[in-house]
Amino acid sequence: MSLGSVPLKYKISIDRDQCMKCMRCVDNCSYGVYRIENDKILIDSRRCTACHRCISMCPRDAISLQEKPVDYRSHPLWTAQAREDIINQARTGKIILAGMGNAMDYPVIFDRLVLDACQVTNPSIDPLREPMELRTYLGKKPARLQFTRDDKGDIELKTELAPNLKLETPIMIGHMSYGAISLNAQLSMAKAVARTGTFMGTGEGGMHESLYPYQNNMIVQVASGRFGVDINYLERGAAIEIKIGQGAKPGIGGHLPGEKVCTDVSCTRMIPLGSDAISPAPHHDIYSIEDLAQLVRSLKEATEWKKPIFVKIAAVHNVAAIAAGIARSSADAVVIDGFRGGTGAAPKVFRDNVGIPIEAAVAAVDQKLNDQGVRNEISVIASGGIRNSADLAKSIALGADAVYIGTASLIALGCRVCGNCYRGLCPWGIATQRPDLVNRIDTDVGAEHVANLIHAWTLELSELMGAAGINSIESLRGNRDRLRGYMLDEGMLNVLKVDPVGA
Amino acid sequence: MCGIIGVIDRTKARMDGSSIKRALSLMNERGSGEGAGYVAYGIYPDYPDCYAIHVFFDNLIEPKSKVDEVLQKWGRIVHQEEIPTYEQPGLKKEHVPWRYFYKPYTDFIVGSNNPAEDIVKHLVMAVNSTIPGALIFSSGINLGVFKAAGWPEDVADFYRIEDYKGYIWLAHNRYPTNTPGWWGGAHPFNLLDWAVVHNGEITSYGTNKRYVESNGYKCTMSTDTEVVAYLFDLLGRRHGLPSEMVVEALAPHFWDEIDRMPEKEQKLQRTLRLTYGPALMNGPFAIVVATSKGIVGFTDRIKLRPLVVGENGSRLYISSEEAAIRVMDPEVNTIYMPRAGEPVVGRVVQ
């Protein structure tokens, strides 16, 4: 018995009058949509992922793409997606894999929050004319200052500051490992963060030699697979991040298929060529909070207490209490990854159903740490679905010190969020290790685009702060007074500690 | 827009309230007749070791019996009376101002370096957040706040502030936008030894409020000035920072300036900013803060509100308007405008 084929997802057509048969579409499509027969470009729409590579490279705008060209009988519950997933699983008996972030139609809380501006009673501040301070320090802060007085009665500072990361703007690029993404994608971002005075994560894939020149702007990651971790790696990082979980797939580990483990990836990750790189779900030396505290201390000892240690957790229901536990360790920052966080590959059921949104998570964490009187002693980094400078400003007003962006920085490199990262065929040269595809990224141009994005958001954040009469990022942090909820229910307003519009 | 003025006699020579009333009334352009107030230090020499607790009661039945009860639970009321007031045609008496002279039992709490102050602070927070119809608006030793909704001269005459003699006076002429007509919203704000008058709007209020709340304070007066008093109490009293350093924490140097400082100073300023980031006050403001040891005036980091300083011998004046200083002291010989964020300090000479 055959289940037959499911309908096409996308239909590609070429305007033959416009087409000049330059063959750019044929060359650019790594999924094999186009082929030439008898001097004619033929199309296999079934292979299309809507990555837009052909469309963006067509000099005549001759290609058009239609989503869902075949209708199902409409049904509110049995959506096309639900039916196709079942057909797929009936055929394979397997877990469905997916890339990028949560694709379910949950309401976006960011879009139900509005920012404030000054009128009359306080002047707005023009960032073109007045200083606007976005500099952010991430790391442990003292609870209070302590002084001694010298013989002359002058004040001597007794408090010693722990090492902090200095960011010129509160935007960092999150951890996307070498293996999951290409070296050229990493290099582009590394050059961009070095240029904009901020940081990026290496992900759990070690640090490739060619990134060494940018190591002062890189945060190295220690995840459950410990891939690429040795003392050389730890010492190169500006900070170290222990990854407990990831917003796209809380509670489970990672899997880099052997096909993506080429020579360079195998050397950097310190694993055999072509072998699957499987990160276990838990760290096998962390079975409780005290084990985490011990790992934090071990990493600190190994690097002589010179580097801040971050701990990244997925935003799960109990995120606030977990963050409070982390705050009690020697960790310098806690990273909260919301359920919209991107990924190279995750089981679809996790990506779409597990975890909570970053807006609620960061508000809850900030509140819990504040209630316990330790909020300023540890930094909070928000990540998972931050799309623009407004999301950035709102995250900070809800209590984050800084944010990690991931998908946004990939889009700056060409990514069109087609969600097929796990297939290793990314035509933009991002989520692939195929040399011909990787070479499509010119790292200098890529760096410029990513740096432009960070710069543009920084400018917009300055303008938003100036309009709100704030000239220092500290005064936006946790300042829920400058947010209002629009059409959010009372329960959610209470979690966010935000008043409704008009109040 | 509001008008503020403060004066200290550094030799502790006491002045009555008549001249500051004139100075404040001169700045009526800056107010709207919906709030004015005065605080004076050194006015209760007969009770040198008692906390003078000023309360607004809505009536003297339920709220007062509850306040009496909680005060007596935590200490001894040495003396209490209604604060004398005199009917004014332009001022409606909304509350009964009452004062207690109070000594807390210091052996009732543990783990405190200053049990008396911590008890009084606790009582202020508890009364203001849990007893309807009672508001403690002044709680220091040998000092008192006198405020109401009205023009400065009416408020002054209502309390006859010329009958009080203090060596420090702060006064405030209010143009409210937030809580007009509410007596509790008038300035000065006071907690223990700290009193604050403030012209401006603190755009970082949400952040500052969360920070003081996280340190055990409760903001109950629905206005941003309250938080200044609590920040001074937290940093100045509980963390023991000298007042110049408190000002540097609240209105810190810009990073550009800090980066250019000599290394030792740079380290101090960086540590200060990192430690007290949530205490940084943003938005337009000019503030004068007093304690029994002196006064300090400062503005926001880009001076979006005016502040003028005058000096004459042992007297130091800080005000929104030069004219107000001159009407208070025609002999004043030095007048200058401090730079943005720069603290102006007047200390009592021992």
Side-chain angles (χ1 to χ4, degrees):
Chain A
M1 187 201 77
S2 165
L3 285 167
S5 66
V6 294
L8 299 174
K9 279 195 174 60
Y10 314 101
K11 184 167 173 55
I12 290 285
S13 45
I14 295 176
D15 182 337
R16 303 285 172 179
D17 293 339
Q18 284 291 322
C19 177
M20 61 185 205
K21 293 190 184 168
C22 67
M23 306 299 167
R24 282 188 177 85
C25 52
V26 184
D27 295 341
N28 271 283
C29 182
S30 51
Y31 294 109
V33 172
Y34 304 96
R35 65 182 192 279
I36 307 161
E37 273 179 28
N38 301 327
D39 197 33
K40 185 165 193 254
I41 302 173
L42 297 185
I43 301 166
D44 181 358
S45 287
R46 191 167 288 281
R47 292 167 179 255
C48 177
T49 62
C51 77
H52 272 209
R53 180 76 190 182
C54 57
I55 290 170
S56 57
M57 293 298 148
C58 176
R60 289 280 182 90
D61 288 334
I63 303 171
S64 48
L65 184 154
Q66 187 194 355
E67 189 168 13
K68 300 197 184 88
V70 179
D71 287 337
Y72 278 82
R73 178 210 159 202
S74 54
H75 192 285
L77 182 67
W78 296 100
T79 58
Q81 192 65 68
R83 280 174 262 188
E84 284 180 15
D85 286 350
I86 292 172
I87 294 167
N88 184 354
Q89 291 189 300
R91 270 205 194 99
T92 63
K94 288 186 177 155
I95 289 170
I96 300 172
L97 268 188
M100 304 311 295
N102 196 320
M104 293 267 274
D105 188 21
Y106 296 107
V108 183
I109 300 172
F110 280 133
D111 296 340
R112 297 277 185 277
L113 288 170
V114 288
L115 290 158
D116 194 18
C118 296
Q119 299 287 296
V120 185
T121 53
N122 48 12
S124 29
I125 300 168
D126 185 348
L128 294 174
R129 293 176 175 80
E130 303 282 354
M132 188 56 66
E133 298 190 308
L134 300 184
R135 188 187 291 185
T136 302
Y137 283 91
L138 297 180
K140 271 267 195 271
K141 316 276 192 299
R144 53 181 291 181
L145 281 199
Q146 287 180 307
F147 302 95
T148 50
R149 285 189 188 270
D150 64 14
D151 306 340
K152 285 179 272 172
D154 289 343
I155 286 172
E156 287 276 332
L157 183 65
K158 203 171 137 196
T159 310
E160 275 293 327
L161 212 51
N164 269 250
L165 285 193
K166 184 177 106 180
L167 281 60
E168 293 303 336
T169 177
I171 309 163
M172 299 187 291
I173 298 178
H175 289 256
M176 293 172 280
S177 69
Y178 178 42
I181 63 169
S182 67
L183 187 57
N184 280 1
Q186 277 201 334
L187 261 173
S188 303
M189 294 189 283
K191 289 178 184 179
V193 291
R195 204 178 294 170
T196 49
T198 182
F199 295 82
M200 73 173 278
T202 57
E204 181 185 25
M207 191 195 287
H208 190 272
E209 281 178 9
S210 53
L211 290 163
Y212 290 174
Y214 312 101
Q215 63 187 25
N216 293 340
N217 294 83
M218 302 203 71
I219 300 160
V220 297
Q221 195 177 55
V222 174
S224 61
R226 303 286 153 90
F227 297 121
V229 178
D230 63 3
I231 189 66
N232 169 49
Y233 173 68
L234 297 177
E235 281 179 348
R236 284 184 188 281
I240 301 168
E241 177 168 311
I242 300 170
K243 174 189 166 186
I244 300 294
Q246 183 179 341
K249 41 183 170 177
I252 61 171
H255 180 181
L256 184 72
E259 300 84 74
K260 273 180 147 180
V261 182
C262 60
T263 316
D264 262 9
V265 172
S266 102
C267 291
T268 311
R269 290 208 171 208
M270 304 173 191
I271 54 171
L273 186 66
S275 64
D276 286 8
I278 296 173
S279 306
H283 286 245
H284 285 313
D285 52 0
I286 302 179
Y287 280 79
S288 186
I289 188 79
E290 64 271 21
D291 296 337
L292 172 69
Q294 205 172 50
L295 179 60
V296 172
R297 273 200 306 279
S298 307
L299 291 169
K300 289 238 177 205
E301 281 294 331
T303 51
E304 299 173 324
W305 295 78
K306 285 180 185 158
K307 296 182 193 298
I309 311 278
F310 299 178
V311 177
K312 172 176 168 178
I313 53 172
V316 290
H317 302 184
N318 203 24
V319 65
I322 301 164
I326 293 169
R328 273 173 188 68
S329 74
S330 316
D332 295 83
V334 56
V335 183
I336 316 289
D337 197 17
F339 81 158
R340 285 201 171 80
T343 177
K348 188 162 172 255
V349 65
F350 277 81
R351 187 196 69 174
D352 291 351
N353 297 285
V354 182
I356 64 169
I358 188 59
E359 302 92 320
V362 78
V365 167
D366 180 61
Q367 185 63 41
K368 176 75 89 183
L369 295 176
N370 203 58
D371 290 346
Q372 299 189 3
V374 295
R375 172 60 190 90
N376 192 48
E377 291 169 47
I378 187 164
S379 300
V380 174
I381 299 159
S383 73
I386 288 160
R387 301 159 296 174
N388 48 44
S389 60
D391 290 356
L392 163 68
K394 291 168 191 178
S395 302
I396 293 172
L398 287 170
D401 288 81
V403 303
Y404 269 148
I405 59 170
T407 306
S409 58
L410 298 185
I411 296 172
L413 288 173
C415 167
R416 300 293 161 101
V417 197
C418 77
N420 286 268
C421 329
Y422 57 95
R423 291 171 60 188
L425 290 171
C426 178
W428 294 92
I430 299 167
T432 178
Q433 301 303 329
R434 230 173 73 182
D436 60 316
L437 300 176
V438 173
N439 284 338
R440 290 181 180 181
I441 296 183
D442 177 324
T443 60
D444 288 326
V445 179
E448 195 181 326
H449 291 159
V450 176
N452 278 346
L453 178 74
I454 294 172
H455 183 63
W457 286 16
T458 304
L459 285 178
E460 288 182 341
L461 179 62
S462 306
E463 292 285 347
L464 288 170
M465 283 168 53
I470 288 174
N471 63 13
S472 176
I473 194 84
E474 293 100 308
S475 299
L476 181 63
R477 193 176 305 139
N479 196 343
R480 288 101 184 278
D481 256 38
R482 313 313 297 278
L483 287 175
R484 289 290 185 272
Y486 186 40
M487 308 296 271
L488 286 171
D489 64 64
E490 198 178 341
M492 180 50 66
L493 289 170
N494 200 28
V495 167
L496 299 175
K497 295 279 181 291
V498 167
D499 284 332
V501 287
Chain B
M1 185 147 122
C2 295
I4 58 176
I5 182 158
V7 58
I8 176 171
D9 189 301
R10 288 177 279 214
T11 60
K12 286 185 111 169
R14 297 199 295 158
M15 305 157 263
D16 74 38
S18 53
S19 65
I20 200 161
K21 168 185 140 186
R22 279 201 310 280
L24 194 65
S25 305
L26 187 88
M27 295 192 283
N28 275 353
E29 186 84 352
R30 298 187 152 270
S32 65
E34 291 168 283
Y38 303 83
V39 62
Y41 287 70
I43 55 169
Y44 296 132
D46 295 344
Y47 299 95
D49 51 359
C50 288
Y51 289 87
I53 295 181
H54 289 195
V55 193
F56 288 139
F57 285 122
D58 286 1
N59 63 65
L60 296 180
I61 313 299
E62 291 94 354
K64 179 153 190 312
S65 56
K66 284 183 189 150
V67 171
D68 284 349
E69 190 189 341
V70 69
L71 288 182
Q72 275 159 355
K73 205 188 285 175
W74 282 95
R76 190 163 65 87
I77 298 169
V78 176
H79 176 68
Q80 60 169 311
E81 62 188 6
E82 186 177 341
I83 298 176
T85 55
Y86 306 86
E87 206 173 304
Q88 298 299 318
L91 196 155
K92 186 173 162 225
K93 187 170 177 177
E94 303 266 2
H95 308 278
V96 183
W98 196 272
R99 63 188 163 207
Y100 296 89
F101 293 95
Y102 183 68
K103 279 188 182 173
Y105 299 133
T106 52
D107 50 353
F108 273 17
I109 58 168
V110 293
S112 166
N113 295 329
N114 201 329
E117 293 195 328
D118 281 337
I119 288 173
V120 174
K121 188 201 113 192
H122 164 76
L123 289 171
V124 173
M125 302 293 150
V127 168
N128 291 353
S129 59
T130 62
I131 303 183
L135 183 84
I136 299 180
F137 60 97
S138 184
S139 54
I141 293 174
N142 200 6
L143 68 91
V145 173
F146 303 93
K147 62 185 181 182
W151 289 104
E153 54 276 21
D154 291 338
V155 174
D157 293 343
F158 177 69
Y159 289 107
R160 281 204 189 152
I161 60 157
E162 61 269 31
D163 292 351
Y164 295 96
K165 282 182 157 183
Y167 62 94
I168 293 174
W169 282 87
L170 305 185
H172 185 269
N173 190 344
R174 185 167 187 232
Y175 191 136
T177 51
N178 213 2
T179 52
W182 185 49
W183 287 28
H187 299 207
F189 283 89
N190 161 271
L191 180 71
L192 299 169
D193 205 27
W194 304 101
V196 183
V197 287
H198 162 223
N199 166 24
E201 183 166 317
I202 300 172
T203 55
S204 56
Y205 175 66
T207 302
N208 305 142
K209 174 171 173 268
R210 288 173 69 74
Y211 181 58
V212 295
E213 281 176 350
S214 133
N215 282 284
Y217 298 82
K218 286 194 185 78
C219 295
T220 53
M221 315 225 191
S222 337
T223 181
D224 49 7
T225 311
E226 181 186 16
V227 89
V228 183
Y230 301 159
L231 284 171
F232 265 88
D233 186 58
L234 176 65
L235 272 59
R237 181 178 67 90
R238 281 169 54 190
H239 292 186
L241 267 57
S243 31
E244 292 93 326
M245 200 148 294
V246 176
V247 171
E248 282 181 334
L250 304 189
H253 295 282
F254 286 99
W255 286 117
D256 279 356
E257 296 171 293
I258 294 174
D259 291 348
R260 291 195 299 267
M261 289 174 179
E263 200 185 319
K264 193 176 163 193
E265 182 63 12
Q266 200 180 106
K267 193 176 160 199
L268 171 68
Q269 293 294 340
R270 188 184 307 118
T271 311
L272 189 72
R273 261 194 94 160
L274 262 60
T275 308
Y276 293 113
L280 187 155
M281 295 197 318
N282 232 299
F285 63 79
I287 287 175
V288 185
V289 178
T291 70
S292 53
K293 296 193 185 70
I295 64 174
V296 52
F298 62 109
T299 67
D300 63 270
R301 308 193 299 161
I302 51 179
K303 203 167 181 184
L304 295 169
R305 288 287 192 271
L307 201 69
V308 184
V309 178
E311 275 188 279
N312 184 9
S314 61
R315 302 224 169 139
L316 175 80
Y317 302 89
I318 306 177
S319 175
S320 306
E321 306 261 0
E322 182 178 334
I325 297 176
R326 291 200 183 274
V327 78
M328 217 175 156
D329 185 350
E331 310 293 309
V332 67
N333 46 27
T334 312
I335 290 273
Y336 71 96
M337 297 192 191
R339 287 159 43 118
E342 177 191 320
V344 177
V345 182
R347 272 196 198 85
V348 166
V349 183
Q350 294 299 339

